[in-house]
Amino acid sequence: MLVSLISRNNKVFLRNKMLVFFSLFSVLISVGVYVVFLQKLQTDAISQVVPVTKAIEILVSEWMVAGILTTIAMTSTLSVFAIYIQDLETKRTADFLVTSASRFNIQLSYVFSSLMIGFMMTFVAFICCEVFIVVIGGSLLSFSAFVKVLALILVGVLLSSTINLFIVLFINSETAFSTVNTVIGTMIGFLCGIYVPIGVLPSTVQSVIHFFPVSHIAVLLRQVLMEPSLASVFEGATAFEESYKLNYGVVYKIGDSIISPATSVLFIVGTIVVVLGLSAIAYKRKYK
């Protein structure tokens, strides 16, 4: 029964063009901001220190790709939960309950659909971005980097789906969900340092971003995707490279310490465990 429910949810999502569109809406904003000024802003800043080369454009594009993949993981998994809200509001959930499906399995089906569609959409975006990077003159990722990106996409989708599950457990109407979807779709770009470089933001806002778990997915993706380009572009300009990494969220610095990739991974895993626990509590209170 669980498999049938997951299959039904996936078909409902993919047939609903509006759900698919809004799951990609924040990505369109990100690309628009990038094209209008962010690409030029970064390119101009880097070219003041190192000679202007094609590698700079590729570096900046890879930075943007990391943000796009993080955003899609968050917004696509949230959009799938719209089916859960629709089923609640139209009383379709009550119809499911007269079958052999338990309420827990029904809820679980939305989570699995969120994970499957979130991973599928983020993976497709990753392949499209890789093709774009190669077309503008970049190189294909090495096998090890490719595997790391896939693992980060999987963890990013799991983290995003977990957070979104917790949020939607407090929503009971499509109107409220639409509002939350819009707010998250708009804020995710700021909270991941995609719309505005983190280095130009006030220290308080930077601290909020440092402790926003989804932003650590963007940081880890930037480190993997940009590693060869960083070495190429900033060869002989180590001091500026460190400054660039901090200003554009390639690494985080809290106090006097640079946050290591292992610390980011532990923070992400810890967040998933804690939010799953909170979701279990919220679920029991909602359906007790």
Side-chain angles (χ1 to χ4, degrees), residues 38-48 52 56-57 60:
L38 212 49
Q39 182 185 35
K40 188 174 188 308
L41 180 71
Q42 281 204 48
T43 304
D44 289 348
I46 297 171
S47 63
Q48 291 177 6
V52 178
I56 295 178
E57 183 183 338
V60 176

Side-chain angles (χ1 to χ4, degrees), residues 131-144:
V131 171
F132 169 72
I133 293 294
V134 172
V135 167
I136 65 173
S139 303
L140 277 175
L141 286 175
S142 65
F143 178 74
S144 61

Side-chain angles (χ1 to χ4, degrees), residues 112-151:
F112 277 118
S113 292
S114 171
L115 291 171
M116 292 170 67
I117 290 176
F119 182 79
M120 179 189 72
M121 295 189 70
T122 313
F123 178 74
V124 170
F126 168 50
I127 296 301
C128 293
C129 289
E130 263 302 279
V131 171
F132 169 72
I133 293 294
V134 172
V135 167
I136 65 173
S139 303
L140 277 175
L141 286 175
S142 65
F143 178 74
S144 61
F146 185 83
V147 172
K148 287 179 183 176
V149 172
L150 277 187

Side-chain angles (χ1 to χ4, degrees), residues 39 83 85-86 117 130 160 176 235:
Q39 182 185 35
I83 302 168
I85 301 299
Q86 288 172 356
I117 290 176
E130 263 302 279
S160 300
E235 186 178 9

Side-chain angles (χ1 to χ4, degrees), residues 34-207:
Y34 171 74
V35 170
V36 171
F37 78 94
L38 212 49
Q39 182 185 35
K40 188 174 188 308
L41 180 71
Q42 281 204 48
T43 304
D44 289 348
I46 297 171
S47 63
Q48 291 177 6
V49 179
V50 298
V52 178
T53 62
K54 188 70 176 176
I56 295 178
E57 183 183 338
I58 295 168
L59 173 81
V60 176
S61 297
E62 289 168 341
W63 178 86
M64 191 63 214
V65 167
I68 288 175
L69 298 182
T70 307
T71 302
I72 291 180
M74 190 69 186
T75 57
S76 62
T77 51
L78 178 60
S79 293
V80 176
F81 281 112
I83 302 168
Y84 161 64
I85 301 299
Q86 288 172 356
D87 290 345
L88 272 183
E89 196 163 62
T90 59
K91 312 282 186 197
R92 199 171 287 124
T93 304
D95 295 338
F96 293 148
L97 287 172
V98 301
T99 68
S100 59
S102 66
R103 186 179 290 281
F104 179 74
N105 275 346
I106 295 171
Q107 191 69 45
L108 200 59
S109 72
Y110 301 119
V111 177
F112 277 118
S113 292
S114 171
L115 291 171
M116 292 170 67
I117 290 176
F119 182 79
M120 179 189 72
M121 295 189 70
T122 313
F123 178 74
V124 170
F126 168 50
I127 296 301
C128 293
C129 289
E130 263 302 279
V131 171
F132 169 72
I133 293 294
V134 172
V135 167
I136 65 173
S139 303
L140 277 175
L141 286 175
S142 65
F143 178 74
S144 61
F146 185 83
V147 172
K148 287 179 183 176
V149 172
L150 277 187
L152 287 172
I153 288 175
L154 190 59
V155 173
V157 168
L158 180 59
L159 172 66
S160 300
S161 184
T162 303
I163 293 173
N164 289 328
L165 168 66
F166 179 70
I167 293 171
V168 298
L169 283 171
F170 295 92
I171 301 174
N172 294 305
S173 71
E174 291 188 67
T175 303
F177 179 83
S178 178
T179 303
V180 170
N181 194 16
T182 302
V183 171
I184 291 178
T186 305
M187 292 300 295
I188 187 68
F190 290 102
L191 292 174
C192 291
I194 300 169
Y195 298 157
V196 181
I198 186 173
V200 304
L201 296 171
S203 59
T204 305
V205 179
Q206 289 187 30
S207 297

